[in-house]
Amino acid sequence: PDQWWGDYLASMGAVRIGEREIEILGNEIGWNQLEKFSEDWFDYSEQRMIQAISKLPSGSIVTSSTHDPFPGVPDGITAKVHISIDAKNSKISIDLTDNLDCQPSGLNLTEGTATSAAMIGIFNGIVDHTVPPNAGSFRRIDIKLRENCCCGIPRHPVSCSVATTNLADRVLCPVQVGIAELAEGYGQAETGPIIPAGMGVISGNDPRHNNMPFVNQIFLGITGGAGTPVTDGFLTIIHAGNAGLCRQDSIEVDELQYPIHVSKRYVTMDTEGAGKFRGSPSAYCEFGPIDECSMKVLYTSDGSIKPAKGARGGQPGGVAKTFKKDPSGALTELPNCYGLALEPGEMVASYSAGGGGYGNPKERAIERVLSDYKEGWISKKRAETVYGVFLDKNDQVDLVKTEKNRQKL
């Protein structure tokens, strides 16, 4: 409760400071002038969006992405996205009406999250990230939704308890992949799905502080960045929607604040979505309660069955997995959505999902493949069989064999 109250006061304080500064600004330069600036800013933003869309080829495509089976939806949910780019009139339309009705699950999107997910996919896809995302640039976007749709406008008493993440990502990602397939040099692959146990909610009573209750979401091991036309995946993006706004937790800070012991955290080998520009590899983390403490871990992971897709010949990223590790070291695989109880000596082992790759892996720059190998992110075998780069016994690139190998792939 103290933590929540502190966060609430900080948020309210930020709002009040912003309100005060706007009043000062309006009184200083005049409210009419400030309103005129806002109108000009939106008009400018619209023109920037017009320029960005006009560089794309016109066309239409239907793409989709499927959320794993989940409580209430044993077959999962496929988000189908109809994309239309009208470069001549500088307009992008996204139609989400061809989707299932609202489902007996918390995965349903709200009108706001369905709209914003599609918009984020567009802004990711146009590549020009200097276009201001505001009411001006939004004039060039048309998002079609329907009522009582899991990717649209819900109606009471439908649950939307995880509307900001899981299914929202399955709407966002096919938009950026669709743009990639329509326009070479644009779009992105899919970002790795979330929420693995390494991003779960922990709770219990802290024996170090008179068994005071604790509860919080942790961010101990999540990667997932998608390959793009010009860069490898953002390693610590965490989530397609907030795009790195969240931070990976400090192990030391978590262990000081909560009765938790984090035994391992690292990037896992050969889990990146291979491509000319690869997706982020998966992350592994392992944690559990300290002595004399019981802990619950709640997570709602996607991506254990349906990994992040690649784009334009890129390969999918690694899948998410969760295990319970007993004191002997034996592992028991867990469902992708689960509430786990841990006793001292027990651990949860979490693998996050990797991001999809963009472009043909054999077109990846040799020096990038070599760097990933030296970093321990890919094996020598993967460098040779997926990227076509042959390394000799001294870990030097054999250019002759690499050229022949790439011709075979």
Side-chain angles (χ1 to χ4, degrees):
D2 292 341
Q3 179 175 312
W4 175 89
W5 183 244
D7 290 345
Y8 170 76
L9 291 178
S11 298
M12 290 301 299
V15 169
R16 294 306 184 195
I17 291 171
E19 180 183 48
R20 184 182 65 199
E21 293 301 313
I22 289 176
E23 288 182 345
I24 293 172
L25 182 64
N27 293 331
E28 179 181 333
I29 68 172
W31 289 102
N32 290 336
Q33 185 70 11
L34 187 60
E35 184 176 359
K36 178 64 167 57
F37 169 80
S38 298
E39 294 171 354
D40 290 345
W41 175 242
F42 290 149
D43 290 343
Y44 165 80
S45 301
E46 182 180 15
Q47 290 302 313
R48 292 295 312 280
M49 190 64 163
I50 288 172
Q51 294 170 11
I53 296 175
S54 67
K55 296 176 183 178
L56 301 172
S58 294
S60 298
I61 191 172
V62 179
T63 56
S64 64
S65 187
T66 301
H67 193 289
D68 286 353
F70 212 69
V73 282
D75 298 322
I77 299 178
T78 295
K80 188 181 293 185
V81 179
H82 295 251
I83 305 169
S84 179
I85 299 175
D86 182 352
K88 183 178 179 180
N89 294 303
S90 298
K91 197 84 173 179
I92 296 180
S93 298
I94 306 294
D95 188 341
L96 299 178
T97 61
D98 188 17
N99 282 296
L100 296 173
D101 289 345
C102 289
Q103 298 294 296
S105 166
L107 293 175
N108 300 293
L109 302 186
T110 64
E111 183 175 1
T113 56
T115 302
S116 61
M119 283 185 165
I120 293 169
I122 290 173
F123 278 90
N124 284 351
I126 62 175
V127 173
D128 185 352
H129 304 308
T130 64
V131 176
N134 61 33
S137 53
F138 294 171
R139 296 168 187 164
R140 314 311 301 180
I141 298 173
D142 180 30
I143 311 295
K144 293 182 174 65
L145 307 175
R146 69 174 176 87
E147 292 197 13
N148 194 37
C149 177
C150 65
C151 301
I153 306 171
R155 285 292 173 256
H156 181 76
V158 168
S159 173
C160 305
S161 58
V162 289
T164 59
T165 51
N166 299 49
L167 189 58
D169 295 356
R170 296 296 189 171
V171 168
L172 186 165
C173 286
V175 173
Q176 59 194 37
V177 169
I179 293 175
E181 299 304 333
L182 284 172
E184 184 176 1
Y186 293 88
Q188 294 184 14
E190 287 194 351
T191 303
I194 59 173
I195 299 168
M199 190 181 165
V201 174
I202 60 171
S203 62
N205 297 88
D206 191 343
R208 304 169 305 172
H209 301 291
N210 298 317
N211 285 323
M212 179 181 294
F214 69 90
V215 59
N216 204 359
Q217 185 174 14
I218 55 173
F219 294 82
L220 278 170
I222 321 95
T223 53
T228 82
V230 292
T231 62
D232 291 335
F234 180 179
L235 179 65
T236 56
I237 192 170
I238 295 183
H239 172 224
N242 63 42
L245 193 62
C246 295
R247 308 288 184 182
Q248 301 282 336
D249 287 359
S250 160
I251 291 176
E252 291 79 6
V253 170
D254 277 0
E255 290 183 337
L256 283 171
Q257 190 167 2
Y258 306 108
I260 185 175
H261 171 59
V262 183
S263 60
K264 296 177 183 178
R265 177 166 67 176
Y266 55 83
V267 170
T268 59
M269 184 180 288
D270 294 346
T271 54
E272 87 299 349
K276 180 178 181 180
F277 292 99
R278 57 152 177 77
S280 295
S282 301
Y284 176 84
C285 68
E286 188 177 298
F287 62 91
I290 63 172
D291 290 344
E292 301 180 3
C293 178
S294 299
M295 177 185 293
K296 292 182 179 179
V297 182
L298 178 66
Y299 61 93
T300 57
S301 181
D302 186 18
S304 297
I305 298 172
K306 299 290 187 179
K309 295 178 182 177
R312 301 197 70 86
Q315 296 185 6
V319 297
K321 294 176 288 186
T322 309
F323 299 88
K324 181 177 181 180
K325 186 176 182 179
D326 69 23
S328 71
L331 297 174
T332 302
E333 189 163 5
L334 300 174
N336 62 335
C337 178
Y338 195 62
L340 172 67
L342 295 174
E343 298 298 328
E346 296 177 331
M347 295 275 187
V348 60
S350 170
Y351 291 85
S352 70
Y358 189 105
N360 193 323
K362 73 177 184 180
E363 296 177 4
R364 183 165 176 77
I366 292 174
E367 60 269 21
R368 286 181 177 267
V369 178
L370 182 60
S371 174
D372 286 345
Y373 168 70
K374 289 183 175 180
E375 195 69 34
W377 290 4
I378 64 171
S379 62
K380 183 178 287 189
K381 181 179 180 181
R382 189 166 177 83
E384 182 177 343
T385 59
V386 175
Y387 295 98
V389 175
F390 191 90
L391 303 174
D392 63 23
K393 61 181 180 180
N394 296 316
D395 291 339
Q396 299 299 309
V397 177
D398 187 319
L399 292 176
V400 175
K401 289 186 177 180
T402 292
E403 180 64 25
K404 291 181 179 179
N405 202 21
R406 287 191 154 185
Q407 290 176 359
K408 295 177 183 178
L409 293 177

